[in-house]
């Protein structure tokens, strides 16, 4: 029995990556898609005041690099190509 | 032949609710009903079927408030009961022979998950060739997988044992599943006098203590993967729990005596105190024959005795050694075959090793009898004792 | 009902740090299943990729009460959990209210070894939501063929050799098998269409008061299907857009195609199947005839769908 729910959080996965996603906040239209499709719960939202493409937003998408395995699904699905996969 | 019920302490007589003529199978059903079991899985197989049929009647008549699940195979029977037990329900199922074999991987799983499931196994021969008749081949394939195993010799004992097994299995020092086994057909379908007890006392003697492991208020993960640095610890812990269950079994026997006035032990002895030659058996038919054979040979002037193993797992090493240590010869009558093993008798092996653990090596005979319910004659058992007296060693296939 | 992507629940009920592959389709499925079923649910998981990568002692990715028993008995175990909740509730002993029982199992544990237990559980009417994540092979053991593996696909047990090239049998119709049990709700969803999946899980849970429900989720596998790890959602979307994997629901006896599949009844609107096949190396050995044969299969499936729509 494992009583510690969600304890895989203690095992980070940054060593799995060859590429890391970099979200270009100034290009992001806050469509939510990268957050929806991440298999590793490595994309989260940060509250605040942001401006991108001339519009104001109350949140921005960030990558939790502890858990990102660098699969690139976020970059592939981003409709405005705001995510770039950069070699580690 | 010891009639337990006649020995019931007089002060406990008023705890008897009724006296019924019951087969061992129906005795199981009556015990399960009084224990307020919550979930029962049912799948038919000879000679167990009348257990679940009786339970179906109880549930249909509103005499037992339980979920009666008619599953599609024995593998699912034990699996349904596994899921229910993990959710905190008191559970029961029954099977024999092929069904017991089919659920084999689930047996290990239930024990590894430490769930206090109780199962009845009226024992039957296994295929091939197919036989619906009794022997203990089925049980022996599943005796070493982490379950407590009792083998009974009368319907009363079966009834009493089911009550005791819930008390043992659900004890938090144990948390292991348990089997009550007995002769297929010769006991499962034979009517005997059974005294059934008051329900309130039964539930006081064996209160429900099934842990609710699957609980939304306290989520845990069960059935995890254990890598080499961890797996062995689970198994050593199971081993330790099964060994430690001896103490719990002993205390449950004591408690049972205080509630219902019958004294049970890990073994049953007949004229063993001064015996030179002892025949060791398990199950009802073998026991009846053994006791008769002892009476007959004693009349001929031989000092013989009979020992019945009641608790097969955890094996009662001390009790067996204490009884046999001073004899000149003993035999074990096995009703199952361990093909290709150092000896064909599985319980014979248990006995010999137990003695060896105490540095004892006593002339002995491994007897295989009653396979596929081949008729076991008292005269055969008499012959075994007489052969022992002549110093016979080795294997006798009756 | 979830209207669009902005309406999706934000609270995560599954933890990161699991060891599913980079780009894993089932990982996306499980993350969203755990969200959509809510806190008051017990998960019963079959042996497979998901189980093995999320429960390595001493770590678990699960925040739900969870049990893994064996490979082929998941539906039976779930039935036992469900009955225990039922009887304990009746006896006044269950204090968590209407706890849902949800199975999460792969195609190996559903189409093959778990089929008998699934049939038994559906037939007996246990109030269990059975969710199948279909990655079309026994992936956990290293990509072996299951009866869910599509025609001609490469797997290690249906390799592409001189004499035999890939799987020679068609994918089994699990939906047809499940439908024959007469359960109130059966649906097909994909990891590419999460809003649709969410609505289906919500509906499936609400139908539990009437009987068992079943959802199959198309979940691509990077190493098993052999495509670049960033294309999992793209492959799943193409499966829908080519009509290979239509999104639909059977609510009682009523069949409904969900968007975008409802717009693909006209063959001209379906993307040619070769677009889906060419992304995956498990199909790279296919001849022109074989690709045409698969396109025909898809078209035939849609003819049958048209019958249901009448």
């Amino acid at each position: 029995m494992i009583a510690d729910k969600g304890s895989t959080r203690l095992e980070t996965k940054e060593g799995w990556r060859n590429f890391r996603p970099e979200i270009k906040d100034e290009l992001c239209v806050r469509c939510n898609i990268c957050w929806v499709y991440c298999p590793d719960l490595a994309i989260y939202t940060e509250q605040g005041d942001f401006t991108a493409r001339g519009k104001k937003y109350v949140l921005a998408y960030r990558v939790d690099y502890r858990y990102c395995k660098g699969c690139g699904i976020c970059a592939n699905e981003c409709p405005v190509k705001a995510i770039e996969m950069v070699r580690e | 032949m010891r009639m337990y019920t006649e020995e019931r302490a007089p002060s406990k007589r008023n705890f008897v609710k009724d006296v019924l003529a019951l087969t061992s199978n129906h005795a199981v059903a009556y015990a399960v009903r009084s224990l307020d079991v919550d979930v029962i899985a049912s799948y038919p197989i000879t000679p167990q079927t009348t257990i679940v049929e009786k339970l179906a009647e109880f549930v249909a008549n509103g005499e037992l408030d339980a979920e009666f699940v008619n599953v599609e195979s024995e593998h699912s029977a034990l699996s349904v009961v596994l899921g229910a037990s993990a959710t905190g329900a008191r559970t029961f199922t029954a099977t024999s022979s092929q069904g017991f074999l089919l659920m084999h991987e689930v047996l290990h799983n239930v024990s590894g998950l430490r769930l206090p499931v109780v199962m009845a196994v009226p024992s039957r021969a296994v295929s091939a060739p197919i036989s619906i008749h009794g022997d203990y081949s089925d049980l022996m394939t599943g005796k070493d997988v982490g379950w407590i195993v009792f083998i009974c010799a009368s319907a009363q004992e079966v009834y009493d044992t089911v009550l005791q097994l819930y008390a043992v299995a659900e004890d938090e020092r144990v948390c292991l599943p348990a089997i009550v086994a007995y002769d297929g057909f010769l006991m499962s379908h034979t009517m005997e006098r059974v005294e059934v007890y008051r329900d309130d006392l039964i539930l006081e003697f064996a209160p429900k203590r099934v842990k609710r492991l699957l609980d939304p208020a306290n989520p845990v993960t069960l059935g995890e993967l254990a890598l080499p640095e961890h797996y062995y610890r689970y198994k050593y812990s199971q081993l330790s729990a099964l060994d430690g269950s001896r103490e719990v079994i002993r205390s449950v026997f004591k408690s049972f005596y205080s509630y219902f006035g019958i004294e049970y032990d890990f073994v049953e002895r007949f004229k063993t105190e001064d015996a030179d030659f002892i025949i060791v058996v398990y199950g009802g038919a073998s026991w009846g024959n053994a006791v008769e054979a002892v009476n007959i040979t004693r009349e001929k002037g031989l000092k013989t005795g009979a020992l019945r193993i009641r608790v097969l797992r955890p094996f009662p090493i001390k009790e067996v050694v204490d009884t046999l240590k001073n004899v000149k010869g003993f035999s074990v009558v096995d009703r199952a075959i361990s093909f290709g093993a150092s000896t064909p008798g599985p319980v014979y092996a248990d006995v010999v090793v137990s003695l060896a653990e105490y540095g004892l090596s006593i002339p002995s005979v491994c007897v295989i009898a009653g396979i596929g319910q081949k008729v076991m004659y008292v005269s055969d058992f008499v012959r075994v004792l007489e052969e022992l007296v002549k110093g016979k060693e080795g294997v006798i296939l009756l | 009902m979830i209207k669009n992507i902005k309406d999706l629940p934000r609270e995560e009920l599954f933890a990161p740090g699991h060891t599913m592959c980079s780009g894993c389709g089932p990982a996306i499925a499980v993350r969203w299943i755990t969200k959509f079923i809510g806190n008051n649910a017990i998960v019963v998981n079959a042996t497979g990729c998901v189980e093995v990568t999320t429960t390595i002692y001493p770590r678990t990715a699960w925040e739900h009460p969870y049990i893994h028993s064996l490979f082929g008995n998941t539906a039976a175990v779930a039935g036992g959990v469900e009955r225990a909740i039922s009887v304990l509730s009746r006896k006044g002993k269950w204090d968590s209210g209407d706890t849902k029982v949800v199975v999460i199992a792969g195609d190996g544990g559903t189409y093959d070894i778990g089929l008998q237990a699934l049939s038994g559980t559906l037939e007996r009417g246990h109030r269990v939501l059975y969710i199948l994540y279909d990655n079309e092979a026994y992936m956990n053991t290293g990509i072996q063929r299951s009866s869910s593996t599509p025609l001609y696909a490469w797997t290690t047990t249906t390799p592409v050799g001189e004499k035999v090239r890939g799987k020679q049998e068609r994918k089994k119709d699990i939906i047809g098998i499940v439908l024959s049990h007469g359960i109130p709700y059966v649906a097909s969803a994909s990891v590419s269409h999460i809003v649709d999946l969410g609505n289906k899980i919500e509906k499936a849970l609400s139908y539990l008061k009437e009987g068992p429900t079943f959802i199959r989720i198309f979940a691509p596998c990077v190493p098993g299907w052999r495509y670049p790890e960033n294309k999992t959602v793209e492959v799943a979307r193409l499966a829908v857009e080519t009509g290979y994997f239509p999104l639909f629901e059977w609510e009682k006896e009523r069949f409904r195609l969900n968007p975008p599949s409802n717009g693909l009844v006209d063959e001209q609107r379906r993307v040619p199947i070769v677009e889906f096949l060419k992304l995956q190396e498990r199909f790279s050995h296919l001849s022109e005839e074989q690709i045409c044969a698969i396109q025909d299969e898809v078209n035939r499936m849609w003819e049958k769908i048209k019958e249901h729509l009448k």
Side-chain angles (χ1 to χ4, degrees):
Chain A
M1 172 196 299
I2 305 174
D4 243 342
K5 61 178 190 175
S7 47
T8 46
R9 280 193 186 87
L10 298 167
E11 310 280 341
T12 61
K13 294 282 173 292
E14 61 269 283
W16 287 40
R17 283 198 298 275
N18 289 321
F19 289 86
R20 63 178 13 214
E22 302 213 333
I23 301 179
K24 309 247 178 299
D25 191 52
E26 61 282 5
L27 299 176
C28 173
V29 296
R30 277 71 176 161
C31 69
N32 234 2
I33 285 175
C34 57
W35 169 81
V36 169
Y37 289 122
C38 178
D40 287 282
L41 299 105
I43 294 188
Y44 64 97
T45 50
E46 187 187 303
Q47 312 282 359
D49 290 312
F50 307 92
T51 309
R53 296 177 188 251
K55 290 180 76 174
K56 286 206 195 309
Y57 296 104
V58 295
L59 49 79
Y61 288 86
R62 304 283 185 236
V63 178
D64 190 339
Y65 291 105
R66 290 175 300 172
Y67 304 115
C68 171
K69 292 170 185 158
C71 71
I73 287 178
C74 52
N76 195 58
E77 294 303 310
C78 177
V80 298
K81 297 292 157 225
I83 303 180
E84 191 187 332
M85 296 305 291
V86 174
R87 199 163 246 289
E88 275 282 13
Chain B
M1 171 73 133
R2 196 173 158 197
M3 283 302 287
Y4 284 112
T5 51
E6 283 166 11
E7 292 174 21
R8 195 188 303 279
S11 61
K12 311 295 179 184
R13 294 243 122 249
N14 58 329
F15 298 161
V16 171
K17 180 174 72 174
D18 210 347
V19 180
L20 305 169
L22 297 177
T23 59
S24 284
N25 274 3
H26 282 183
V28 170
Y30 275 80
V32 167
R33 179 180 73 169
S34 297
L35 287 157
D36 192 29
V37 165
D38 299 310
V39 177
I40 298 166
S42 151
Y43 191 80
I45 187 165
T46 306
Q48 158 281 119
T49 313
T50 60
I51 302 175
V52 294
E53 284 175 336
K54 195 67 180 162
L55 286 169
E57 257 180 61
F58 287 151
V59 172
N61 285 330
E63 294 171 65
L64 169 60
D65 185 5
E67 291 293 322
F68 191 82
V69 190
N70 279 306
V71 292
E72 77 296 338
S73 87
E74 289 93 344
H75 189 277
S76 286
L78 191 54
S79 300
V80 162
V81 148
L82 182 162
S85 186
T87 314
R90 180 173 262 183
T91 55
F92 174 81
T93 192
T95 191
S96 307
S97 183
Q98 310 307 126
F100 186 68
L101 268 49
L102 185 61
M103 57 164 70
H104 193 87
E105 64 162 350
V106 198
L107 290 175
H108 290 258
N109 207 243
V110 171
S111 177
L113 289 169
R114 305 295 297 272
L115 301 171
V117 168
V118 173
M119 175 156 70
V121 183
S123 301
R124 166 187 146 185
V126 305
S127 198
I130 185 168
S131 162
I132 56 163
H133 291 91
D135 73 24
Y136 282 80
S137 313
D138 52 5
L139 184 70
M140 294 306 166
T141 67
K143 63 176 163 58
D144 300 321
V145 299
W147 285 58
I148 291 167
V149 181
F150 277 47
I151 305 181
C152 300
S154 73
Q156 181 71 54
E157 189 184 345
V158 167
Y159 178 82
D160 292 347
T161 297
V162 174
L163 306 182
Q164 292 164 16
L165 286 182
Y166 279 95
V168 173
E170 292 172 6
D171 189 296
E172 66 173 5
R173 294 165 287 178
V174 176
C175 288
L176 285 171
I179 284 170
V180 56
Y182 46 95
D183 298 8
F185 274 127
L186 297 173
M187 284 174 66
S188 64
H189 286 63
T190 304
M191 232 180 240
E192 299 178 49
R193 182 180 184 281
V194 178
E195 295 178 352
V196 301
Y197 313 128
R198 273 170 41 192
D199 291 349
D200 58 326
L201 294 173
I202 287 174
L203 286 173
E204 214 180 276
F205 162 73
K208 284 195 202 177
R209 286 168 299 171
V210 185
K211 287 197 202 137
R212 181 175 311 163
L213 300 171
L214 294 173
D215 186 353
N218 183 25
V220 299
T221 288
L222 297 177
E224 66 271 26
L225 182 144
L227 291 170
E229 64 251 66
H230 299 294
Y231 180 85
Y232 71 92
R233 293 203 248 122
Y234 291 76
K235 297 297 133 184
Y236 289 179
S237 165
Q238 247 176 297
L239 179 61
S240 154
L242 193 55
D243 281 339
S245 71
R246 283 189 182 86
E247 277 318 301
V248 178
I249 292 170
R250 211 163 271 127
S251 75
V252 165
F253 285 158
K254 270 216 195 79
S255 170
F256 189 84
Y257 176 72
S258 80
Y259 270 91
F260 304 112
I262 296 183
E263 220 177 298
Y264 280 104
D265 194 358
F266 287 77
V267 300
E268 189 181 353
R269 301 174 182 84
F270 182 68
K271 301 199 168 152
T272 58
E273 302 73 29
D274 66 335
D276 287 330
F277 303 95
I278 289 181
I279 188 164
V280 184
V281 301
Y282 48 89
S286 300
W287 183 235
N289 278 20
V291 165
E292 265 305 287
V294 165
N295 284 334
I296 289 170
T297 47
R298 283 247 170 195
E299 268 176 29
K300 294 183 187 177
L302 300 172
K303 287 174 60 190
T304 55
L307 174 68
R308 180 169 72 88
I309 299 189
R310 297 192 57 247
V311 179
L312 181 67
R313 290 290 179 268
F315 194 75
I317 304 164
K318 212 168 90 37
E319 287 81 356
V320 167
V321 169
D322 275 344
T323 314
L324 297 178
K325 62 182 185 246
N326 295 317
V327 302
K328 299 195 178 121
F330 71 91
S331 96
V332 178
V333 178
D334 263 301
R335 289 190 63 195
I337 299 175
S338 291
F339 295 95
S342 53
T343 170
V347 177
Y348 176 75
D350 271 330
V351 173
V352 170
V353 170
S354 299
L355 291 167
E357 282 173 19
Y358 281 77
L360 296 165
S361 173
I362 298 171
S364 58
V365 174
C366 166
V367 178
I368 304 292
I371 295 295
Q373 213 167 303
K374 177 173 197 249
V375 182
M376 297 190 293
Y377 293 99
V378 172
S379 53
D380 287 332
F381 283 47
V382 169
R383 183 163 63 84
V384 164
L385 283 168
E386 288 173 341
E387 293 288 306
L388 273 182
V389 173
K390 290 191 206 135
K392 167 128 184 129
E393 290 183 69
V395 178
I396 296 179
L397 299 179
L398 282 179
Chain C
M1 157 121 173
I2 305 160
K3 298 246 174 53
N4 58 48
I5 204 172
K6 304 275 182 182
D7 279 345
L8 291 169
R10 307 237 32 124
E11 191 195 355
E12 306 289 347
L13 292 179
F14 189 64
H18 57 71
T19 56
M20 282 186 260
C21 293
S22 177
C24 173
I28 302 174
V30 171
R31 178 180 160 216
W32 284 98
I33 294 169
T34 50
K35 286 209 225 212
F36 293 132
I37 61 180
N39 286 94
N40 196 10
I42 294 175
V43 171
V44 185
N45 190 203
T47 308
C49 274
V50 167
E51 169 260 324
V52 143
T53 55
T54 58
T55 60
I56 304 175
Y57 185 88
R59 308 284 182 231
T60 179
W62 298 90
E63 311 235 336
H64 282 92
Y66 166 104
I67 182 166
H68 157 246
S69 171
L70 294 159
F71 199 6
N73 70 352
T74 317
V77 172
V81 173
E82 178 254 355
R83 287 295 155 98
I85 294 172
S86 182
V87 63
L88 292 173
S89 299
R90 193 164 68 238
K91 293 181 179 177
K93 300 263 174 61
W94 185 258
D95 32 25
S96 296
D98 185 21
T99 307
K100 309 286 193 224
V101 181
V102 180
V103 167
I104 299 178
D107 52 284
T110 301
Y111 283 70
D112 294 342
I113 196 171
L115 189 63
Q116 181 201 290
L118 170 63
S119 176
T121 291
L122 296 181
E123 178 270 321
R124 290 190 298 273
H126 290 280
R127 276 107 165 85
V128 168
L129 163 53
Y130 192 107
I131 302 182
L132 156 66
Y133 65 90
D134 198 347
N135 55 19
E136 301 191 326
Y138 289 91
M139 294 307 186
N140 182 223
T141 40
I143 318 162
Q144 288 80 41
R145 161 255 206 252
S146 79
S147 60
S148 167
T149 305
L151 186 62
Y152 304 137
W154 169 92
T155 66
T156 63
T157 46
T158 56
V160 178
E162 294 293 318
K163 283 181 74 177
V164 185
R165 298 169 65 75
K167 183 172 185 255
Q168 301 299 306
E169 302 84 17
R170 287 175 176 69
K171 185 182 171 94
K172 189 191 279 191
D173 178 16
I174 192 71
I175 297 290
I177 292 171
V178 169
L179 280 173
S180 72
H181 292 73
I183 65 176
Y185 186 77
V186 179
S188 231
S190 169
V191 295
S192 54
H193 292 78
I194 296 293
V195 170
D196 173 75
L197 171 62
N199 286 323
K200 285 172 173 161
I201 290 180
E202 203 177 289
K203 220 184 267 189
L205 290 172
S206 74
Y207 269 105
L208 282 180
K209 52 183 163 345
E210 296 184 41
T213 52
F214 183 95
I215 297 177
R216 174 175 66 153
I217 304 178
F218 192 71
C221 168
V222 174
W225 301 9
R226 314 202 138 189
Y227 59 82
E229 58 193 12
N230 62 346
K231 293 203 182 289
T232 295
V233 176
E234 191 178 319
V235 167
R237 190 183 306 115
L238 263 173
V240 175
E241 290 170 350
T242 53
Y244 172 81
F245 191 88
L247 301 179
F248 60 80
E249 305 170 275
W250 280 93
E251 220 173 320
K252 308 281 189 93
E253 308 271 292
R254 251 194 76 213
F255 176 81
R256 180 191 305 117
L257 280 171
N258 308 109
S261 298
N262 58 344
L264 301 180
V265 181
D266 175 2
E267 193 180 325
Q268 303 305 317
R269 310 273 293 273
R270 300 199 283 267
V271 173
I273 197 68
V274 66
E275 297 301 315
F276 168 72
L277 299 172
K278 75 182 191 201
L279 273 183
Q280 307 161 61
E281 266 185 58
R282 64 173 172 158
F283 292 119
S284 62
H285 58 284
L286 260 48
S287 65
E288 285 297 322
E289 291 82 43
Q290 288 176 320
I291 295 175
C292 284
I294 295 181
Q295 182 69 78
D296 281 342
E297 291 268 328
V298 173
N299 294 344
R300 249 184 309 217
M301 174 178 52
W302 278 89
E303 291 307 307
K304 280 221 199 91
I305 288 175
K306 284 189 209 163
E307 291 296 311
H308 298 318
L309 290 171
K310 292 201 180 122

